[in-house]
Amino acid sequence: MRQKGKTGHSRLLSLAIMCLIAFGPSTGSLLGQPIKLHPGNSNYFSYKNKPILLITSAEHYGALINLDFDYVKYFDAISKYRMNYTRLFTGSFVEREEDIGWMKYNNTLAPRPDRVIVPWARSNVPGYRNGGNKFDLESWDEHYFERLKDLLTEAKAKDIIVELTLFGNQYGDGLWCNSPLHPDNNIQRIGPSGEGSWSKFQTKNDHQLLAYQEAMVRKIVTELNDFDNLFYEISNEPYNGITDTTAVDEWHNHMVKLIKDTEAGLPKKHLIATCFSVFDNPDVSVLNFHYVRVKEMKPLETLLTLKKVVNMDETMGSVIHSNPTDTRIEAWDHILRGGGAYNNLSWEYTPHNAEGTEDAVKINKYLQNLQRFMSGFDYARMAPDYEMVLAKPDSSFVRVLGEKGKQYAIYLHRSKIKGDGKPEVWGYEAFGGIRQDELTIDLPAGKYEIRWMNPSTGLFYDNSPKIKHPGGKLLLLTPQYTTDIGLQIKRRKR
């Protein structure tokens, strides 16, 4: 029915608006663009036109491929504490019950027989090592892609960013035999076999294998183009046990170019991460590393000069290898050194308990406190300040992010290094005991407000002095604290 008083132009406009409401935005969403590097400080991310720190304690990367894992409950559990990041494996790497013996089927990357779902459809030929029929690499499993898109949709609803790890180091022939791309597990019989064949997975040497790897990347990248809460990692821990890293780097550069070329004809462009490899590739925007410092890694301070996000996306897994307090120290230490993202590998989420244990909740609260502390700053304007601290307590580490004369985030923790420190630093072991310490800093002249925070509770200490400083050396006395303490210093307007 024609509505009185409406022109043809206005009727068309009304119809367009109604269609947009009814059917939502098309591919190439009008609502935004994928997570990207912050335009003013590329050591940080930007999402929905705001700077964002990715901080989480994530499950062992099997939420997608393990049909027994309830990712909705998992997302509900972590988002409750402002965890905004998770990491997924695609299914080119699979583990079995015995591969992490103390975890068995509690390891989300080790689905029970016939409960694994990967990009490729099952054939009618029995014989997959992990149960059920072999895979047909010429056919995609549409249920897999439905699950993947639903997972990303659920994550997006809770503002959780997904790091999708396309491939992974196979580590040895035993684990390589689990992969759908192993010749024993697919009806095409593609992939290298025999002793040491696992090391060829991340190379361009096997042309048939490479062609199916490329097909998987193109399929996933095309299917997921419309999602904003997503970035890609090429491969997990690519150098572990590998002697020819040149071949691994060539393969990485090839895969980076493949993603870029695939998205060239698509509406949205997603960030690409690598782990240790080809950090200097201009199309790599996120530099992933594991643990605080390993031999393959340049110092974090050096990585930051590449003007990319530096992401510790795996740690010594809690709580088996690192207790909640040690995890808290590691997370705060990394972010206050200039890291843009942090993921504590957590063993606390399982197919039987996707919501996590009490220790998972404790860690999440600690990480939530870190987000709260950093949200008090315009941190995209800040950078590590290596000159500010003039004197600090014995057996302590002090990290500073600052914008000269305007705002400073300082974190002090008392701990010792796990590892020899030359260069291996696997984490930190916290010291206990109540302390009160002196800290001497170099602060420009001005009026400031000083606030101390307890990283364990997330509460600020009652005393927040306002000072007028003539510039130069300033002696600060901490409140009484245990293990660690945070400090906010902000210039007052008057």
Side-chain angles (χ1 to χ4, degrees), residues 95-110:
E95 293 179 335
R96 295 198 302 165
E97 178 187 19
E98 61 268 34
D99 290 327
I100 301 182
W102 53 270
M103 283 290 287
K104 298 187 182 298
Y105 289 127
N106 284 327
N107 172 13
T108 57
L109 276 178

Side-chain angles (χ1 to χ4, degrees), residues 191-426:
S193 62
E195 185 176 356
S197 58
W198 69 274
S199 63
K200 300 176 183 178
F201 183 81
Q202 299 171 113
T203 74
K204 297 166 63 179
N205 296 342
D206 189 307
H207 299 297
Q208 284 186 313
L209 172 62
L210 182 64
Y212 284 104
Q213 290 175 333
E214 291 171 340
M216 187 199 83
V217 171
R218 283 192 293 267
K219 174 68 172 176
I220 289 176
V221 168
T222 301
E223 290 281 345
L224 303 184
N225 186 254
D226 198 42
F227 286 95
D228 298 339
N229 59 322
L230 170 70
F231 67 96
Y232 296 105
E233 181 185 46
I234 301 299
S235 188
N236 176 60
E237 296 187 340
Y239 288 169
N240 286 33
I242 297 292
T243 56
D244 184 8
T245 57
T246 300
V248 173
D249 288 348
E250 289 175 351
W251 178 81
H252 268 74
N253 283 323
H254 179 78
M255 291 300 172
V256 170
K257 185 176 185 300
L258 179 61
I259 294 174
K260 298 294 290 187
D261 289 349
T262 302
E263 288 197 329
L266 298 172
K268 297 190 177 184
K269 321 300 177 190
H270 292 81
L271 295 179
I272 300 173
T274 57
C275 182
F276 298 118
S277 181
V278 299
F279 280 176
D280 57 348
N281 185 315
D283 292 323
V284 172
S285 300
V286 185
L287 312 182
N288 288 344
F289 68 92
H290 295 175
Y291 318 116
V292 176
R293 177 89 189 273
V294 295
K295 64 181 180 181
E296 296 92 348
M297 178 186 166
K298 294 179 180 178
L300 186 145
E301 292 76 14
T302 301
L303 296 181
L304 289 170
T305 65
L306 297 177
K307 302 301 180 183
K308 305 177 181 186
V309 171
V310 181
N311 177 16
M312 191 193 303
D313 75 335
E314 182 175 306
T315 64
M316 299 295 288
S318 62
V319 294
I320 302 299
H321 304 114
S322 187
N323 69 41
T325 302
D326 296 342
T327 298
R328 180 182 77 229
I329 287 176
E330 181 180 72
W332 279 70
D333 182 272
H334 175 67
I335 296 300
L336 270 293
R337 290 174 70 193
Y342 172 87
N343 171 35
N344 165 58
L345 167 60
S346 178
W347 304 110
E348 307 306 296
Y349 303 96
T350 69
H352 297 295
N353 184 9
E355 295 166 302
T357 64
E358 290 183 5
D359 281 325
V361 171
K362 182 181 291 187
I363 290 170
N364 287 343
K365 288 180 177 179
Y366 290 160
L367 300 187
Q368 181 183 33
N369 295 341
L370 173 56
Q371 280 280 20
R372 182 181 176 217
F373 179 79
M374 292 302 298
S375 69
F377 297 96
D378 187 359
Y379 53 80
R381 296 181 179 274
M382 302 169 78
D385 188 328
Y386 308 114
E387 309 292 332
M388 185 182 195
V389 177
L390 302 177
K392 64 184 183 67
D394 294 338
S395 303
S396 72
F397 297 85
V398 182
R399 312 301 188 187
V400 181
L401 288 176
E403 181 186 13
K404 190 172 180 63
K406 295 183 178 180
Q407 54 176 345
Y408 299 90
I410 301 176
Y411 177 61
L412 183 158
H413 65 92
R414 299 185 60 258
S415 61
K416 67 177 181 180
I417 287 172
K418 296 177 182 178
D420 61 16
K422 302 175 183 178
E424 279 77 12
V425 180
W426 302 110

Side-chain angles (χ1 to χ4, degrees), residues 69-77 79 150-151 154 158 354:
F69 189 79
D70 188 334
Y71 52 76
V72 175
K73 288 184 178 179
Y74 166 63
F75 289 149
D76 285 342
S79 65
D150 184 68
L151 186 152
E154 293 287 347
K158 296 176 175 61

Side-chain angles (χ1 to χ4, degrees), residues 123-155:
S123 71
N124 58 5
V125 178
Y128 173 49
R129 190 187 191 205
N130 202 33
N133 290 348
K134 295 184 179 185
F135 297 95
D136 179 358
L137 302 185
E138 296 290 340
S139 297
W140 303 115
D141 186 340
E142 294 307 322
H143 295 297
Y144 170 90
F145 289 97
E146 290 171 5
R147 181 176 171 88
L148 174 55
K149 290 178 182 179
D150 184 68
L151 186 152
L152 281 162
T153 300
E154 293 287 347

